[in-house]
Amino acid sequence: MMIDEAVCQMYPVLIGLMGCGKSSIGRLLSQELGLTMLDLDHYIVDKAGKTIPEIFDEHGEEGFRDLETEALREVLGTPVVIASGGGVVMREENRIMLEAHAPVIWLKSSLHFLANRIQGDDNRPLTAGRDALTVLQQLADIRYPYYSQCADYILHRGKMNKAASLHAVLEYLKQWQYENTGSQQQTQSSHSLLSSPKFEDA
Ligand code: S3P
């Protein structure tokens, strides 16, 4: 049974540092939940008609943050899975919006793991041409309290691959949905996690 949208408004938002898997896990999650995947960076790029490095070059980081806030305001709460940009928590206005929204999921990985993934990626202006680990350490010091403030759930990925991470997020969402609506939203895949024994009684 597919839960009526008016009853079940489970539109997850993924947050976390660059490289933590927000887009890739978000895509899998959107398929499971039968929702559209919305990558906030792509939304900004499409709207601006410029790449992220071009936006940073022409308008600076603050210019990018303005677009990011505008984008978040436009899409938050619509029936999509949102993969946000790592810096979305930098603006207080955004944190207020995220705190008022649920479920927000922080994908947390070790900084070494993230640095290996993003080192040398020219599409990320904050780390391009710099030592990714050093930058990530600085960002983590500032952002971890903010991620923590906005998140309803923290997934400590550790050595979890994408499939295991997806599974853990879905387990959390089942619980969230049950607690918040008393219902369960049907997933799209044949191996629906929502029919796992743990939740049959729920
Ligand atoms: C940023 C992260 C990027 C992108 C921009 C700024 C950040 O998104 O929004 O380069 O401040 O951490 P990803 O987290 O998807 O890489």
Side-chain angles (χ1 to χ4, degrees), residues 15-23 39-42 44 52-53 56 61 64-65 68 83-90 118 121 123-127 136 139 143 147:
I15 60 172
L17 285 174
M18 292 175 264
C20 70
K22 299 179 295 279
S23 301
D39 186 308
L40 203 61
D41 282 345
H42 292 174
I44 294 166
I52 302 243
F56 269 71
E61 182 174 347
F64 174 76
R65 298 287 169 220
E68 187 172 49
S84 63
V88 75
V89 295
M90 292 305 292
I118 66 169
D121 181 349
N123 201 38
R124 290 183 164 107
L126 295 183
T127 50
L136 286 169
L139 295 179
R143 295 178 180 179
Y147 291 140

PDB file of all heavy atoms in Angstrom, residues 15-23 39-42 44 52-53 56 61 64-65 68 83-90 118 121 123-127 136 139 143 147, ligand 1:
ATOM      1  N   ILE A  15      22.670  15.616   4.521  1.00  0.00           N
ATOM      2  CA  ILE A  15      23.684  16.640   4.745  1.00  0.00           C
ATOM      3  C   ILE A  15      25.011  15.957   5.084  1.00  0.00           C
ATOM      4  O   ILE A  15      25.040  14.766   5.412  1.00  0.00           O
ATOM      5  CB  ILE A  15      23.281  17.622   5.882  1.00  0.00           C
ATOM      6  CG1 ILE A  15      23.085  16.891   7.222  1.00  0.00           C
ATOM      7  CG2 ILE A  15      22.016  18.391   5.510  1.00  0.00           C
ATOM      8  CD1 ILE A  15      22.863  17.839   8.424  1.00  0.00           C
ATOM      9  N   GLY A  16      26.087  16.731   5.034  1.00  0.00           N
ATOM     10  CA  GLY A  16      27.404  16.185   5.372  1.00  0.00           C
ATOM     11  C   GLY A  16      28.472  16.789   4.484  1.00  0.00           C
ATOM     12  O   GLY A  16      28.165  17.425   3.464  1.00  0.00           O
ATOM     13  N   LEU A  17      29.711  16.567   4.865  1.00  0.00           N
ATOM     14  CA  LEU A  17      30.835  17.152   4.130  1.00  0.00           C
ATOM     15  C   LEU A  17      30.932  16.613   2.699  1.00  0.00           C
ATOM     16  O   LEU A  17      30.395  15.542   2.392  1.00  0.00           O
ATOM     17  CB  LEU A  17      32.150  16.845   4.852  1.00  0.00           C
ATOM     18  CG  LEU A  17      32.447  17.649   6.122  1.00  0.00           C
ATOM     19  CD1 LEU A  17      33.719  17.112   6.799  1.00  0.00           C
ATOM     20  CD2 LEU A  17      32.609  19.145   5.816  1.00  0.00           C
ATOM     21  N   MET A  18      31.656  17.361   1.874  1.00  0.00           N
ATOM     22  CA  MET A  18      31.893  16.942   0.488  1.00  0.00           C
ATOM     23  C   MET A  18      32.416  15.504   0.434  1.00  0.00           C
ATOM     24  O   MET A  18      33.278  15.141   1.221  1.00  0.00           O
ATOM     25  CB  MET A  18      32.982  17.842  -0.136  1.00  0.00           C
ATOM     26  CG  MET A  18      32.576  19.257  -0.346  1.00  0.00           C
ATOM     27  SD  MET A  18      33.987  20.250  -0.951  1.00  0.00           S
ATOM     28  CE  MET A  18      34.588  20.971   0.579  1.00  0.00           C
ATOM     29  N   GLY A  19      31.887  14.737  -0.487  1.00  0.00           N
ATOM     30  CA  GLY A  19      32.395  13.381  -0.701  1.00  0.00           C
ATOM     31  C   GLY A  19      31.775  12.320   0.186  1.00  0.00           C
ATOM     32  O   GLY A  19      32.132  11.143   0.094  1.00  0.00           O
ATOM     33  N   CYS A  20      30.812  12.689   1.042  1.00  0.00           N
ATOM     34  CA  CYS A  20      30.277  11.702   2.003  1.00  0.00           C
ATOM     35  C   CYS A  20      29.225  10.785   1.382  1.00  0.00           C
ATOM     36  O   CYS A  20      28.752   9.865   2.030  1.00  0.00           O
ATOM     37  CB  CYS A  20      29.727  12.390   3.238  1.00  0.00           C
ATOM     38  SG  CYS A  20      28.211  13.301   2.927  1.00  0.00           S
ATOM     39  N   GLY A  21      28.827  11.056   0.129  1.00  0.00           N
ATOM     40  CA  GLY A  21      27.890  10.155  -0.550  1.00  0.00           C
ATOM     41  C   GLY A  21      26.461  10.677  -0.586  1.00  0.00           C
ATOM     42  O   GLY A  21      25.532   9.902  -0.847  1.00  0.00           O
ATOM     43  N   LYS A  22      26.271  11.968  -0.373  1.00  0.00           N
ATOM     44  CA  LYS A  22      24.899  12.517  -0.344  1.00  0.00           C
ATOM     45  C   LYS A  22      24.187  12.263  -1.679  1.00  0.00           C
ATOM     46  O   LYS A  22      23.036  11.845  -1.705  1.00  0.00           O
ATOM     47  CB  LYS A  22      24.933  14.034  -0.055  1.00  0.00           C
ATOM     48  CG  LYS A  22      25.562  14.398   1.293  1.00  0.00           C
ATOM     49  CD  LYS A  22      25.592  15.898   1.507  1.00  0.00           C
ATOM     50  CE  LYS A  22      26.458  16.660   0.545  1.00  0.00           C
ATOM     51  NZ  LYS A  22      27.900  16.684   0.822  1.00  0.00           N
ATOM     52  N   SER A  23      24.903  12.519  -2.786  1.00  0.00           N
ATOM     53  CA  SER A  23      24.252  12.347  -4.098  1.00  0.00           C
ATOM     54  C   SER A  23      24.030  10.879  -4.436  1.00  0.00           C
ATOM     55  O   SER A  23      22.942  10.507  -4.876  1.00  0.00           O
ATOM     56  CB  SER A  23      25.085  13.004  -5.204  1.00  0.00           C
ATOM     57  OG  SER A  23      25.244  14.368  -4.921  1.00  0.00           O
ATOM     58  N   ASP A  39      19.385  17.101  -6.430  1.00  0.00           N
ATOM     59  CA  ASP A  39      20.725  17.482  -6.000  1.00  0.00           C
ATOM     60  C   ASP A  39      20.766  19.007  -5.971  1.00  0.00           C
ATOM     61  O   ASP A  39      20.612  19.657  -7.010  1.00  0.00           O
ATOM     62  CB  ASP A  39      21.744  16.907  -6.992  1.00  0.00           C
ATOM     63  CG  ASP A  39      23.171  17.134  -6.542  1.00  0.00           C
ATOM     64  OD1 ASP A  39      23.516  18.297  -6.237  1.00  0.00           O
ATOM     65  OD2 ASP A  39      23.933  16.156  -6.481  1.00  0.00           O
ATOM     66  N   LEU A  40      20.940  19.573  -4.777  1.00  0.00           N
ATOM     67  CA  LEU A  40      20.827  21.033  -4.639  1.00  0.00           C
ATOM     68  C   LEU A  40      21.868  21.767  -5.493  1.00  0.00           C
ATOM     69  O   LEU A  40      21.569  22.820  -6.068  1.00  0.00           O
ATOM     70  CB  LEU A  40      20.973  21.424  -3.157  1.00  0.00           C
ATOM     71  CG  LEU A  40      20.364  22.762  -2.758  1.00  0.00           C
ATOM     72  CD1 LEU A  40      18.850  22.798  -2.998  1.00  0.00           C
ATOM     73  CD2 LEU A  40      20.658  23.078  -1.288  1.00  0.00           C
ATOM     74  N   ASP A  41      23.071  21.211  -5.585  1.00  0.00           N
ATOM     75  CA  ASP A  41      24.103  21.841  -6.435  1.00  0.00           C
ATOM     76  C   ASP A  41      23.646  21.871  -7.897  1.00  0.00           C
ATOM     77  O   ASP A  41      23.819  22.874  -8.587  1.00  0.00           O
ATOM     78  CB  ASP A  41      25.427  21.077  -6.344  1.00  0.00           C
ATOM     79  CG  ASP A  41      26.189  21.405  -5.066  1.00  0.00           C
ATOM     80  OD1 ASP A  41      25.856  22.397  -4.399  1.00  0.00           O
ATOM     81  OD2 ASP A  41      27.128  20.646  -4.742  1.00  0.00           O
ATOM     82  N   HIS A  42      23.087  20.763  -8.370  1.00  0.00           N
ATOM     83  CA  HIS A  42      22.620  20.714  -9.770  1.00  0.00           C
ATOM     84  C   HIS A  42      21.500  21.717  -9.997  1.00  0.00           C
ATOM     85  O   HIS A  42      21.422  22.358 -11.033  1.00  0.00           O
ATOM     86  CB  HIS A  42      22.119  19.307 -10.140  1.00  0.00           C
ATOM     87  CG  HIS A  42      23.219  18.290 -10.180  1.00  0.00           C
ATOM     88  ND1 HIS A  42      22.992  16.947 -10.379  1.00  0.00           N
ATOM     89  CD2 HIS A  42      24.561  18.408 -10.036  1.00  0.00           C
ATOM     90  CE1 HIS A  42      24.139  16.297 -10.360  1.00  0.00           C
ATOM     91  NE2 HIS A  42      25.103  17.159 -10.143  1.00  0.00           N
ATOM     92  N   ILE A  44      21.064  24.514  -8.442  1.00  0.00           N
ATOM     93  CA  ILE A  44      21.663  25.857  -8.487  1.00  0.00           C
ATOM     94  C   ILE A  44      22.333  26.089  -9.844  1.00  0.00           C
ATOM     95  O   ILE A  44      22.167  27.144 -10.468  1.00  0.00           O
ATOM     96  CB  ILE A  44      22.708  26.006  -7.339  1.00  0.00           C
ATOM     97  CG1 ILE A  44      22.003  25.962  -5.981  1.00  0.00           C
ATOM     98  CG2 ILE A  44      23.522  27.288  -7.504  1.00  0.00           C
ATOM     99  CD1 ILE A  44      22.940  25.752  -4.793  1.00  0.00           C
ATOM    100  N   ILE A  52      29.546  25.418 -10.752  1.00  0.00           N
ATOM    101  CA  ILE A  52      29.862  25.885  -9.389  1.00  0.00           C
ATOM    102  C   ILE A  52      31.174  26.695  -9.395  1.00  0.00           C
ATOM    103  O   ILE A  52      31.221  27.795  -8.820  1.00  0.00           O
ATOM    104  CB  ILE A  52      29.948  24.680  -8.422  1.00  0.00           C
ATOM    105  CG1 ILE A  52      28.628  23.927  -8.458  1.00  0.00           C
ATOM    106  CG2 ILE A  52      30.371  25.139  -7.022  1.00  0.00           C
ATOM    107  CD1 ILE A  52      27.818  23.843  -7.243  1.00  0.00           C
ATOM    108  N   PRO A  53      32.240  26.199 -10.049  1.00  0.00           N
ATOM    109  CA  PRO A  53      33.468  27.026 -10.073  1.00  0.00           C
ATOM    110  C   PRO A  53      33.224  28.392 -10.715  1.00  0.00           C
ATOM    111  O   PRO A  53      33.768  29.397 -10.253  1.00  0.00           O
ATOM    112  CB  PRO A  53      34.447  26.177 -10.911  1.00  0.00           C
ATOM    113  CG  PRO A  53      33.975  24.773 -10.721  1.00  0.00           C
ATOM    114  CD  PRO A  53      32.480  24.866 -10.611  1.00  0.00           C
ATOM    115  N   PHE A  56      31.528  30.602  -8.114  1.00  0.00           N
ATOM    116  CA  PHE A  56      32.506  31.039  -7.106  1.00  0.00           C
ATOM    117  C   PHE A  56      33.432  32.114  -7.694  1.00  0.00           C
ATOM    118  O   PHE A  56      33.745  33.096  -7.032  1.00  0.00           O
ATOM    119  CB  PHE A  56      33.340  29.846  -6.605  1.00  0.00           C
ATOM    120  CG  PHE A  56      32.771  29.148  -5.397  1.00  0.00           C
ATOM    121  CD1 PHE A  56      31.612  28.381  -5.497  1.00  0.00           C
ATOM    122  CD2 PHE A  56      33.384  29.238  -4.152  1.00  0.00           C
ATOM    123  CE1 PHE A  56      31.083  27.724  -4.389  1.00  0.00           C
ATOM    124  CE2 PHE A  56      32.869  28.586  -3.027  1.00  0.00           C
ATOM    125  CZ  PHE A  56      31.723  27.826  -3.154  1.00  0.00           C
ATOM    126  N   GLU A  61      32.251  33.094  -2.747  1.00  0.00           N
ATOM    127  CA  GLU A  61      31.502  32.079  -1.988  1.00  0.00           C
ATOM    128  C   GLU A  61      30.171  32.648  -1.480  1.00  0.00           C
ATOM    129  O   GLU A  61      29.157  31.942  -1.478  1.00  0.00           O
ATOM    130  CB  GLU A  61      32.336  31.558  -0.806  1.00  0.00           C
ATOM    131  CG  GLU A  61      31.590  30.463  -0.044  1.00  0.00           C
ATOM    132  CD  GLU A  61      32.395  29.796   1.055  1.00  0.00           C
ATOM    133  OE1 GLU A  61      33.624  29.982   1.104  1.00  0.00           O
ATOM    134  OE2 GLU A  61      31.765  29.085   1.874  1.00  0.00           O
ATOM    135  N   PHE A  64      27.570  32.390  -4.034  1.00  0.00           N
ATOM    136  CA  PHE A  64      27.083  31.009  -4.131  1.00  0.00           C
ATOM    137  C   PHE A  64      26.125  30.697  -2.983  1.00  0.00           C
ATOM    138  O   PHE A  64      25.066  30.084  -3.184  1.00  0.00           O
ATOM    139  CB  PHE A  64      28.258  30.026  -4.122  1.00  0.00           C
ATOM    140  CG  PHE A  64      27.828  28.589  -4.070  1.00  0.00           C
ATOM    141  CD1 PHE A  64      27.319  27.953  -5.197  1.00  0.00           C
ATOM    142  CD2 PHE A  64      27.871  27.874  -2.871  1.00  0.00           C
ATOM    143  CE1 PHE A  64      26.877  26.629  -5.141  1.00  0.00           C
ATOM    144  CE2 PHE A  64      27.435  26.555  -2.808  1.00  0.00           C
ATOM    145  CZ  PHE A  64      26.943  25.937  -3.945  1.00  0.00           C
ATOM    146  N   ARG A  65      26.485  31.161  -1.775  1.00  0.00           N
ATOM    147  CA  ARG A  65      25.624  30.873  -0.605  1.00  0.00           C
ATOM    148  C   ARG A  65      24.247  31.531  -0.758  1.00  0.00           C
ATOM    149  O   ARG A  65      23.243  30.985  -0.302  1.00  0.00           O
ATOM    150  CB  ARG A  65      26.287  31.354   0.692  1.00  0.00           C
ATOM    151  CG  ARG A  65      27.612  30.682   1.018  1.00  0.00           C
ATOM    152  CD  ARG A  65      27.453  29.249   1.480  1.00  0.00           C
ATOM    153  NE  ARG A  65      28.747  28.565   1.527  1.00  0.00           N
ATOM    154  CZ  ARG A  65      28.958  27.313   1.151  1.00  0.00           C
ATOM    155  NH1 ARG A  65      27.972  26.558   0.719  1.00  0.00           N
ATOM    156  NH2 ARG A  65      30.156  26.789   1.205  1.00  0.00           N
ATOM    157  N   GLU A  68      22.343  29.309  -2.898  1.00  0.00           N
ATOM    158  CA  GLU A  68      22.055  28.065  -2.176  1.00  0.00           C
ATOM    159  C   GLU A  68      20.858  28.251  -1.231  1.00  0.00           C
ATOM    160  O   GLU A  68      19.979  27.383  -1.146  1.00  0.00           O
ATOM    161  CB  GLU A  68      23.315  27.664  -1.400  1.00  0.00           C
ATOM    162  CG  GLU A  68      23.264  26.317  -0.733  1.00  0.00           C
ATOM    163  CD  GLU A  68      24.623  25.932  -0.157  1.00  0.00           C
ATOM    164  OE1 GLU A  68      25.243  26.761   0.550  1.00  0.00           O
ATOM    165  OE2 GLU A  68      25.078  24.819  -0.399  1.00  0.00           O
ATOM    166  N   ALA A  83      19.726  16.007  -1.860  1.00  0.00           N
ATOM    167  CA  ALA A  83      21.144  15.878  -1.525  1.00  0.00           C
ATOM    168  C   ALA A  83      21.684  17.299  -1.520  1.00  0.00           C
ATOM    169  O   ALA A  83      21.741  17.948  -2.562  1.00  0.00           O
ATOM    170  CB  ALA A  83      21.862  15.028  -2.563  1.00  0.00           C
ATOM    171  N   SER A  84      22.005  17.806  -0.334  1.00  0.00           N
ATOM    172  CA  SER A  84      22.426  19.199  -0.238  1.00  0.00           C
ATOM    173  C   SER A  84      23.920  19.321  -0.506  1.00  0.00           C
ATOM    174  O   SER A  84      24.636  18.324  -0.573  1.00  0.00           O
ATOM    175  CB  SER A  84      22.102  19.734   1.161  1.00  0.00           C
ATOM    176  OG  SER A  84      22.838  19.009   2.122  1.00  0.00           O
ATOM    177  N   GLY A  85      24.403  20.561  -0.636  1.00  0.00           N
ATOM    178  CA  GLY A  85      25.845  20.794  -0.721  1.00  0.00           C
ATOM    179  C   GLY A  85      26.407  20.812   0.695  1.00  0.00           C
ATOM    180  O   GLY A  85      25.693  21.152   1.647  1.00  0.00           O
ATOM    181  N   GLY A  86      27.681  20.472   0.818  1.00  0.00           N
ATOM    182  CA  GLY A  86      28.285  20.347   2.147  1.00  0.00           C
ATOM    183  C   GLY A  86      28.212  21.607   2.999  1.00  0.00           C
ATOM    184  O   GLY A  86      28.212  21.536   4.227  1.00  0.00           O
ATOM    185  N   GLY A  87      28.134  22.767   2.333  1.00  0.00           N
ATOM    186  CA  GLY A  87      28.164  24.015   3.090  1.00  0.00           C
ATOM    187  C   GLY A  87      26.801  24.602   3.387  1.00  0.00           C
ATOM    188  O   GLY A  87      26.691  25.728   3.871  1.00  0.00           O
ATOM    189  N   VAL A  88      25.760  23.829   3.136  1.00  0.00           N
ATOM    190  CA  VAL A  88      24.400  24.366   3.299  1.00  0.00           C
ATOM    191  C   VAL A  88      24.121  24.811   4.735  1.00  0.00           C
ATOM    192  O   VAL A  88      23.291  25.678   4.979  1.00  0.00           O
ATOM    193  CB  VAL A  88      23.345  23.333   2.813  1.00  0.00           C
ATOM    194  CG1 VAL A  88      23.182  22.208   3.808  1.00  0.00           C
ATOM    195  CG2 VAL A  88      22.024  23.988   2.504  1.00  0.00           C
ATOM    196  N   VAL A  89      24.854  24.224   5.681  1.00  0.00           N
ATOM    197  CA  VAL A  89      24.609  24.567   7.092  1.00  0.00           C
ATOM    198  C   VAL A  89      25.332  25.847   7.519  1.00  0.00           C
ATOM    199  O   VAL A  89      25.211  26.269   8.672  1.00  0.00           O
ATOM    200  CB  VAL A  89      25.047  23.406   8.034  1.00  0.00           C
ATOM    201  CG1 VAL A  89      24.189  22.182   7.815  1.00  0.00           C
ATOM    202  CG2 VAL A  89      26.524  23.076   7.854  1.00  0.00           C
ATOM    203  N   MET A  90      26.086  26.460   6.609  1.00  0.00           N
ATOM    204  CA  MET A  90      26.864  27.638   6.997  1.00  0.00           C
ATOM    205  C   MET A  90      26.000  28.855   7.296  1.00  0.00           C
ATOM    206  O   MET A  90      26.358  29.692   8.106  1.00  0.00           O
ATOM    207  CB  MET A  90      27.898  27.978   5.914  1.00  0.00           C
ATOM    208  CG  MET A  90      28.999  26.940   5.776  1.00  0.00           C
ATOM    209  SD  MET A  90      29.833  26.646   7.354  1.00  0.00           S
ATOM    210  CE  MET A  90      30.670  28.214   7.602  1.00  0.00           C
ATOM    211  N   ILE A 118      37.793  13.190  -2.713  1.00  0.00           N
ATOM    212  CA  ILE A 118      37.622  14.480  -3.408  1.00  0.00           C
ATOM    213  C   ILE A 118      38.923  15.134  -3.850  1.00  0.00           C
ATOM    214  O   ILE A 118      38.896  16.111  -4.592  1.00  0.00           O
ATOM    215  CB  ILE A 118      36.812  15.487  -2.552  1.00  0.00           C
ATOM    216  CG1 ILE A 118      37.593  15.875  -1.295  1.00  0.00           C
ATOM    217  CG2 ILE A 118      35.459  14.916  -2.178  1.00  0.00           C
ATOM    218  CD1 ILE A 118      36.941  17.063  -0.576  1.00  0.00           C
ATOM    219  N   ASP A 121      39.562  16.998  -7.342  1.00  0.00           N
ATOM    220  CA  ASP A 121      38.309  17.286  -8.051  1.00  0.00           C
ATOM    221  C   ASP A 121      38.190  18.796  -8.271  1.00  0.00           C
ATOM    222  O   ASP A 121      38.002  19.557  -7.322  1.00  0.00           O
ATOM    223  CB  ASP A 121      37.125  16.767  -7.210  1.00  0.00           C
ATOM    224  CG  ASP A 121      35.782  17.014  -7.892  1.00  0.00           C
ATOM    225  OD1 ASP A 121      35.744  17.761  -8.889  1.00  0.00           O
ATOM    226  OD2 ASP A 121      34.780  16.467  -7.409  1.00  0.00           O
ATOM    227  N   ASN A 123      35.907  20.481  -9.571  1.00  0.00           N
ATOM    228  CA  ASN A 123      34.553  21.029  -9.518  1.00  0.00           C
ATOM    229  C   ASN A 123      34.176  21.523  -8.113  1.00  0.00           C
ATOM    230  O   ASN A 123      33.093  22.024  -7.905  1.00  0.00           O
ATOM    231  CB  ASN A 123      33.564  19.960 -10.011  1.00  0.00           C
ATOM    232  CG  ASN A 123      32.258  20.587 -10.473  1.00  0.00           C
ATOM    233  OD1 ASN A 123      32.256  21.657 -11.083  1.00  0.00           O
ATOM    234  ND2 ASN A 123      31.147  19.950 -10.144  1.00  0.00           N
ATOM    235  N   ARG A 124      35.109  21.334  -7.171  1.00  0.00           N
ATOM    236  CA  ARG A 124      34.832  21.779  -5.800  1.00  0.00           C
ATOM    237  C   ARG A 124      35.814  22.903  -5.443  1.00  0.00           C
ATOM    238  O   ARG A 124      36.948  22.646  -5.011  1.00  0.00           O
ATOM    239  CB  ARG A 124      34.960  20.598  -4.836  1.00  0.00           C
ATOM    240  CG  ARG A 124      33.835  19.559  -5.000  1.00  0.00           C
ATOM    241  CD  ARG A 124      33.972  18.456  -3.972  1.00  0.00           C
ATOM    242  NE  ARG A 124      32.766  17.673  -3.827  1.00  0.00           N
ATOM    243  CZ  ARG A 124      32.632  16.417  -4.277  1.00  0.00           C
ATOM    244  NH1 ARG A 124      33.607  15.821  -4.938  1.00  0.00           N
ATOM    245  NH2 ARG A 124      31.501  15.757  -4.069  1.00  0.00           N
ATOM    246  N   PRO A 125      35.377  24.148  -5.607  1.00  0.00           N
ATOM    247  CA  PRO A 125      36.293  25.284  -5.466  1.00  0.00           C
ATOM    248  C   PRO A 125      36.990  25.378  -4.109  1.00  0.00           C
ATOM    249  O   PRO A 125      38.102  25.886  -4.019  1.00  0.00           O
ATOM    250  CB  PRO A 125      35.384  26.505  -5.675  1.00  0.00           C
ATOM    251  CG  PRO A 125      34.155  26.000  -6.325  1.00  0.00           C
ATOM    252  CD  PRO A 125      34.006  24.576  -5.947  1.00  0.00           C
ATOM    253  N   LEU A 126      36.349  24.895  -3.047  1.00  0.00           N
ATOM    254  CA  LEU A 126      36.957  25.055  -1.722  1.00  0.00           C
ATOM    255  C   LEU A 126      38.196  24.182  -1.550  1.00  0.00           C
ATOM    256  O   LEU A 126      39.076  24.501  -0.744  1.00  0.00           O
ATOM    257  CB  LEU A 126      35.943  24.741  -0.610  1.00  0.00           C
ATOM    258  CG  LEU A 126      34.748  25.691  -0.499  1.00  0.00           C
ATOM    259  CD1 LEU A 126      33.865  25.302   0.679  1.00  0.00           C
ATOM    260  CD2 LEU A 126      35.209  27.142  -0.343  1.00  0.00           C
ATOM    261  N   THR A 127      38.266  23.094  -2.293  1.00  0.00           N
ATOM    262  CA  THR A 127      39.418  22.208  -2.136  1.00  0.00           C
ATOM    263  C   THR A 127      40.323  22.176  -3.370  1.00  0.00           C
ATOM    264  O   THR A 127      41.439  21.669  -3.290  1.00  0.00           O
ATOM    265  CB  THR A 127      38.974  20.745  -1.837  1.00  0.00           C
ATOM    266  OG1 THR A 127      37.981  20.356  -2.795  1.00  0.00           O
ATOM    267  CG2 THR A 127      38.405  20.614  -0.445  1.00  0.00           C
ATOM    268  N   LEU A 136      39.293  19.951   4.737  1.00  0.00           N
ATOM    269  CA  LEU A 136      38.179  19.237   5.376  1.00  0.00           C
ATOM    270  C   LEU A 136      38.260  19.338   6.897  1.00  0.00           C
ATOM    271  O   LEU A 136      37.230  19.469   7.572  1.00  0.00           O
ATOM    272  CB  LEU A 136      38.168  17.765   4.942  1.00  0.00           C
ATOM    273  CG  LEU A 136      37.678  17.505   3.516  1.00  0.00           C
ATOM    274  CD1 LEU A 136      37.960  16.061   3.095  1.00  0.00           C
ATOM    275  CD2 LEU A 136      36.178  17.810   3.377  1.00  0.00           C
ATOM    276  N   LEU A 139      36.963  22.674   7.783  1.00  0.00           N
ATOM    277  CA  LEU A 139      35.500  22.730   7.601  1.00  0.00           C
ATOM    278  C   LEU A 139      34.785  21.936   8.694  1.00  0.00           C
ATOM    279  O   LEU A 139      33.760  22.365   9.221  1.00  0.00           O
ATOM    280  CB  LEU A 139      35.108  22.193   6.221  1.00  0.00           C
ATOM    281  CG  LEU A 139      35.598  22.991   5.003  1.00  0.00           C
ATOM    282  CD1 LEU A 139      35.152  22.302   3.716  1.00  0.00           C
ATOM    283  CD2 LEU A 139      35.080  24.425   5.033  1.00  0.00           C
ATOM    284  N   ARG A 143      31.792  23.045  10.924  1.00  0.00           N
ATOM    285  CA  ARG A 143      30.478  22.539  10.512  1.00  0.00           C
ATOM    286  C   ARG A 143      29.905  21.407  11.351  1.00  0.00           C
ATOM    287  O   ARG A 143      28.683  21.223  11.376  1.00  0.00           O
ATOM    288  CB  ARG A 143      30.549  22.069   9.052  1.00  0.00           C
ATOM    289  CG  ARG A 143      30.825  23.211   8.097  1.00  0.00           C
ATOM    290  CD  ARG A 143      30.938  22.705   6.679  1.00  0.00           C
ATOM    291  NE  ARG A 143      31.214  23.780   5.746  1.00  0.00           N
ATOM    292  CZ  ARG A 143      31.383  23.614   4.448  1.00  0.00           C
ATOM    293  NH1 ARG A 143      31.290  22.393   3.933  1.00  0.00           N
ATOM    294  NH2 ARG A 143      31.643  24.645   3.669  1.00  0.00           N
ATOM    295  N   TYR A 147      26.005  20.513  11.612  1.00  0.00           N
ATOM    296  CA  TYR A 147      25.370  19.281  11.098  1.00  0.00           C
ATOM    297  C   TYR A 147      24.601  18.612  12.235  1.00  0.00           C
ATOM    298  O   TYR A 147      23.477  18.138  12.065  1.00  0.00           O
ATOM    299  CB  TYR A 147      26.418  18.299  10.567  1.00  0.00           C
ATOM    300  CG  TYR A 147      27.137  18.714   9.306  1.00  0.00           C
ATOM    301  CD1 TYR A 147      28.504  18.476   9.148  1.00  0.00           C
ATOM    302  CD2 TYR A 147      26.461  19.303   8.239  1.00  0.00           C
ATOM    303  CE1 TYR A 147      29.180  18.837   7.989  1.00  0.00           C
ATOM    304  CE2 TYR A 147      27.127  19.670   7.075  1.00  0.00           C
ATOM    305  CZ  TYR A 147      28.487  19.427   6.965  1.00  0.00           C
ATOM    306  OH  TYR A 147      29.158  19.779   5.816  1.00  0.00           O
TER     307      TYR A 147
HETATM  308  C1  S3P B   1      30.560  22.912  -0.839  1.00  0.00           C
HETATM  309  C2  S3P B   1      30.192  21.656  -1.227  1.00  0.00           C
HETATM  310  C3  S3P B   1      29.806  21.328  -2.600  1.00  0.00           C
HETATM  311  C4  S3P B   1      29.266  22.566  -3.329  1.00  0.00           C
HETATM  312  C5  S3P B   1      30.242  23.698  -3.218  1.00  0.00           C
HETATM  313  C6  S3P B   1      30.523  24.078  -1.760  1.00  0.00           C
HETATM  314  C7  S3P B   1      30.941  23.143   0.571  1.00  0.00           C
HETATM  315  O1  S3P B   1      28.809  20.314  -2.622  1.00  0.00           O
HETATM  316  O2  S3P B   1      28.032  22.943  -2.786  1.00  0.00           O
HETATM  317  O3  S3P B   1      31.432  23.335  -3.866  1.00  0.00           O
HETATM  318  O4  S3P B   1      30.963  24.305   0.999  1.00  0.00           O
HETATM  319  O5  S3P B   1      31.224  22.146   1.277  1.00  0.00           O
HETATM  320  P1  S3P B   1      29.130  18.762  -2.258  1.00  0.00           P
HETATM  321  O6  S3P B   1      29.076  18.629  -0.767  1.00  0.00           O
HETATM  322  O7  S3P B   1      28.021  18.015  -2.921  1.00  0.00           O
HETATM  323  O8  S3P B   1      30.461  18.451  -2.822  1.00  0.00           O
END
